[in-house]
């Protein structure tokens, strides 16, 4: 039996594999990657590598074995039909008779278009009959703390979320929840709403940045249309992706990412990482 992690060299996948290495022997871990060279360090530590691509169904032939536990980390190619990509993995898992397929989904409360592919994947997974665990991940601290350069340059946190709050957590927290499910028992056919223990507003986020930098950082609340325009004009994002992110802003304003179910801290056995801690790490970075 292997624990198989797809997208293993991505931001979340790296955390998962690193934390698995602290819990189980390396030879029990299979890292699924598109570029073998990016995972050379994992191979050197004894992790088995499997080269496969969501866009190449044949690359998953024979990759899984009966009894494996699989973590399907959602793809980030928004323009390539993510549900179809994910179904490639689900079909291969079903054919192999895996013991569990855990999927990194989106919070059930999220109505933004970003959630559509996740809902479609959940439907396909439940229809497959494969034992599943839906890891409905909330927002990551790093979604903001890894984008501090323009904030520090302009002296403003510019968002279209109004007074909405975000119950975010660190990537390492979500990875720890995935690891708990992969190495634990009794997680078949479960759904976890994963979010941080504390919800914060962007005004509070700006105030914390001000405190830690010793500079005045304001919260600049804009409309969704203006936010999308900033992303396309100044950040250079493609229009469709900017529109998706704008939709998330609207969802935050409606409180859809503010829920604090406690599932994440219960799965990991510890409190989630406060946004202030992630800010401190980013500023040292």
């Amino acid at each position: 039996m292997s624990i198989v992690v797809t997208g293993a060299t991505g931001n979340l996948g790296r955390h998962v594999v690193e934390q698995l290495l602290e819990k189980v022997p390396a030879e029990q871990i299979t890292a699924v990657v598109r570029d073998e060279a990016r995972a050379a360090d994992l191979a050197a530590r004894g992790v088995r590598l499997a080269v496969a691509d969501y866009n190449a169904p044949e690359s998953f032939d024979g990759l899984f074995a009966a009894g494996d536990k699989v973590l399907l980390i959602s793809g980030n190619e928004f323009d390539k039909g993510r549900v179809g990509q994910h179904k490639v993995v689900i079909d291969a898992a079903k054919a192999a008779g895996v013991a569990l397929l855990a999927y990194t989904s989106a919070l059930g409360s999220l109505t933004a278009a970003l959630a559509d592919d996740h809902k479609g994947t959940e439907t396909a997974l439940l229809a497959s009959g494969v034992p599943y665990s839906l890891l409905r991940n909330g927002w990551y601290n790093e979604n903001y703390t890894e984008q501090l350069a323009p904030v520090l340059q302009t002296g403003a946190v510019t968002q279209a979320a109004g007074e909405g709050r975000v119950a975010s957590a660190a990537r390492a927290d979500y990875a720890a929840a995935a690891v708990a499910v992969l190495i634990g028992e009794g997680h078949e056919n479960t759904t976890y709403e994963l979010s941080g223990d504390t919800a914060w507003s962007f005004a509070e986020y700006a105030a914390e940045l001000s405190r830690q930098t010793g500079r005045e950082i304001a919260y600049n609340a804009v409309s969704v249309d203006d936010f999308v325009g900033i992303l396309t004009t100044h950040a250079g994002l493609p229009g469709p992706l900017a529109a998706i992110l704008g939709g998330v802003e609207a969802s935050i304003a409606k409180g859809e990412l503010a829920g604090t179910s406690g599932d994440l801290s219960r799965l990991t056995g510890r409190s989630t990482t406060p946004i202030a801690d992630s800010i401190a790490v980013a500023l040292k970075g």
Side-chain angles (χ1 to χ4, degrees):
M1 186 275 286
S2 283
I3 296 174
V4 187
V5 180
T6 73
T9 55
N11 289 328
L12 180 62
R14 277 270 176 191
H15 278 291
V16 172
V17 174
E18 288 291 343
Q19 292 187 38
L20 280 171
L21 284 166
E22 297 173 1
K23 305 282 188 180
V24 299
E27 58 268 22
Q28 292 183 17
I29 305 167
T30 298
V32 181
V33 300
R34 286 191 294 188
D35 182 355
E36 198 169 0
R38 289 186 60 194
D41 60 313
L42 298 178
R45 294 163 69 183
V47 174
R48 173 178 173 249
L49 300 186
V51 179
D53 190 321
Y54 295 155
N55 299 305
E58 68 281 0
S59 66
F60 280 90
D61 290 347
L63 196 156
F64 304 128
D68 283 354
K69 290 186 176 181
V70 180
L71 176 64
L72 168 55
I73 294 180
S74 58
N76 58 7
E77 296 175 313
F78 294 93
D79 59 340
K80 292 190 177 179
R82 291 198 297 169
V83 177
Q85 290 179 326
H86 299 157
K87 199 168 182 302
V88 166
V89 181
I90 293 168
D91 290 345
K94 180 177 181 178
V98 304
L100 181 74
L101 195 157
Y103 171 65
T104 60
S105 191
L107 289 172
S109 58
L110 186 64
T111 62
L114 179 71
D116 291 348
D117 288 346
H118 293 298
K119 291 173 182 175
T121 301
E122 287 189 9
T123 298
L125 179 52
L126 269 61
S128 73
V130 174
Y132 67 87
S133 183
L134 301 179
L135 306 177
R136 289 178 170 171
N137 286 356
W139 229 222
Y140 300 162
N141 291 348
E142 290 86 351
N143 289 351
Y144 303 105
T145 61
E146 289 180 351
Q147 310 297 327
L148 286 181
V151 172
L152 298 177
Q153 183 179 2
T154 62
V157 173
T158 301
Q159 303 287 152
E163 297 179 4
R165 305 181 77 82
V166 181
S168 65
R171 277 199 195 98
D173 297 331
Y174 292 105
V179 168
V181 166
L182 292 168
I183 68 174
E185 300 295 333
H187 295 289
E188 295 80 6
N189 305 329
T190 54
T191 299
Y192 298 106
E193 301 285 346
L194 304 176
S195 60
D197 295 333
T198 304
W200 48 267
S201 70
F202 284 100
E204 291 168 348
Y205 178 65
E208 182 61 26
L209 279 170
S210 299
R211 187 186 71 80
Q212 293 200 31
T213 61
R215 296 172 50 191
E216 185 61 36
I217 306 292
Y219 171 37
N220 179 29
V222 299
S223 70
V224 170
D225 286 345
D226 285 346
F227 184 75
V228 171
I230 290 168
L231 292 181
T232 54
T233 304
H234 297 289
L237 294 187
L241 177 56
I244 287 173
L245 296 177
V248 173
E249 293 292 296
S251 284
I252 292 173
K254 291 186 286 189
E256 294 177 6
L257 290 181
T260 53
S261 72
D263 281 358
L264 182 51
S265 53
R266 278 191 291 271
L267 272 178
T268 62
R270 56 177 170 77
S271 299
T272 60
T273 305
I275 188 69
D277 289 9
S278 293
I279 289 172
V281 169
L283 290 174
K284 287 177 184 173

